[in-house]
């Protein structure tokens, strides 16, 4: 299974990515997590990424694309992958398409996590308190939602035009959302 997850910060992509990857025994590639561990370890990549992340801006495409292409070459992605947080721009989506076309392993689906803005703020405020994420302050959250609307939302049409988009009602208990996703993926595979 090769899927990408699209949705604003706080939509539950990370939680569901782990569950989907477990279900299909494939790679779970979370770009935000990779950046955060690089920041924590003080690597060169972490130093580049940190300022963008703290402001709630996107890390430049060329940096993210190179990192994801390397990660997709790792063993656990041979069986497929769940991409959580990538692509976030059309240029990233095009780079992914080129890579997968070269390998003749096209995407199976793009899951679009749909959540109301009210619910997002409620969740992100809770996450900020629980995880002490430096990019979960109210001002940064607002900015990240604007960045999502401007840079990432166009991907919804991008994948719809390619027949890959699956809308997911991402409100409700975690387990129920997982069932919705797995059912929708099974239905898509069957078509
Ligand atoms: P996340 O944990 O997915 O919300 O990502 C946290 C931060 O990492 C984002 O706000 C961006 O600064 C950066 N980031 C993660 N994925 C990407 C991406 N695909 N493109 C650009 N920046 C990214």
């Amino acid at each position: 299974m090769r899927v990408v997850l699209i949705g604003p910060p706080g939509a539950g992509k990370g939680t569901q990515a782990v569950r989907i990857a477990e279900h299909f025994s494939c790679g779970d590639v979370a770009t935000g997590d990779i950046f955060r561990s690089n920041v924590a370890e003080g690597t060169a990549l972490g130093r580049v990424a940190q300022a963008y992340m703290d402001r709630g801006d996107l890390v430049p495409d060329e940096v993210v694309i190179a990192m994801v292409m390397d990660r997709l070459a790792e063993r656990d992605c041979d069986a497929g992958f769940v991409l959580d947080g990538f692509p976030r721009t059309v240029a990233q989506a095009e780079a992914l398409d080129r890579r997968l076309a070269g390998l003749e392993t096209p995407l199976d689906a793009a899951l679009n996590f749909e959540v109301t803005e009210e619910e997002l703020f409620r969740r992100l405020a809770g996450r900020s308190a629980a995880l002490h994420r430096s990019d979960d302050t109210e001002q940064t959250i607002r900015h990240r939602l604007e960045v999502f609307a401007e840079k990432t939302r166009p991907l919804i049409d991008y994948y719809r035009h390619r027949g890959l988009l699956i809308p997911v009602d991402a409100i409700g208990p975690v387990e129920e959302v997982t069932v919705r996703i797995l059912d929708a993926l099974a239905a898509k595979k069957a078509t």
Side-chain angles (χ1 to χ4, degrees):
M1 182 60 70
R2 289 176 295 274
V3 291
V4 299
L5 310 190
I6 303 169
K13 300 187 300 297
T15 304
Q16 296 298 332
V18 173
R19 299 169 72 95
I20 303 166
E22 244 170 43
H23 180 85
F24 291 106
S25 304
C26 64
D28 174 11
V29 178
T31 45
D33 287 349
I34 301 175
F35 283 133
R36 277 184 289 279
S37 60
N38 275 275
V39 169
E41 287 162 24
T43 67
L45 178 63
R47 283 194 295 278
V48 171
Q50 181 156 32
Y52 296 98
M53 294 175 77
D54 284 347
R55 287 195 303 268
D57 282 328
L58 296 183
V59 177
D61 281 338
E62 61 275 17
V63 176
V64 188
I65 290 169
M67 179 182 90
V68 171
M69 296 305 134
D70 280 354
R71 178 65 186 85
L72 291 180
E74 285 178 30
R75 257 322 231 314
D76 60 333
C77 294
D78 287 352
F81 52 77
V82 179
L83 270 174
D84 161 20
F86 182 96
R88 262 172 152 106
T89 65
V90 170
Q92 293 178 16
E94 288 170 347
L96 179 64
D97 277 353
R98 278 194 298 276
R99 158 69 163 249
L100 297 179
L103 296 171
E104 297 184 13
T105 54
L107 275 185
D108 293 299
L111 299 171
N112 180 34
F113 283 54
E114 298 178 338
V115 190
T116 60
E117 194 153 301
E118 252 183 343
E119 173 72 8
L120 288 180
F121 268 95
R122 208 183 54 74
R123 290 186 188 181
L124 287 164
R127 183 164 85 182
S128 174
L131 298 182
H132 304 291
R133 263 181 65 160
S134 59
D135 58 351
D136 271 349
T137 62
E138 181 161 351
Q139 194 190 357
T140 317
I141 292 169
R142 219 170 270 290
H143 183 58
R144 287 164 68 212
L145 291 175
E146 285 163 8
V147 170
F148 174 79
E150 185 192 337
K151 305 266 175 60
T152 308
R153 196 168 281 146
L155 292 181
I156 295 173
D157 276 341
Y158 181 95
Y159 286 117
R160 188 184 287 122
H161 286 141
R162 286 160 177 74
L164 291 172
L165 194 76
I166 298 180
V168 175
D169 173 4
I171 297 186
V174 169
E175 176 60 36
E176 266 176 39
V177 176
T178 309
V179 170
R180 281 176 210 149
I181 291 171
L182 295 179
D183 284 354
L185 287 173
K188 177 104 184 49
K189 267 280 188 203
T191 58

